[in-house]
Amino acid sequence: MDPLSGAALFVVITSAILYALYWVIRRAVAAGIKDAEDRP
């Protein structure tokens, strides 16, 4: 594998991981806000 392909693969995999992490954090924040609104 040439260096450019390796770099591109690294960027794609890193982007996918960060995107998944973004959605996990977003869902957790939304759930936390909903939980806080439900408290008396």
Side-chain angles (χ1 to χ4, degrees), residues 10-30:
F10 176 76
V11 168
V12 168
I13 291 172
T14 303
S15 298
I17 291 170
L18 289 175
Y19 187 67
L21 190 61
Y22 163 76
W23 276 104
V24 167
I25 292 170
R26 185 176 164 147
R27 298 281 305 246
V29 169

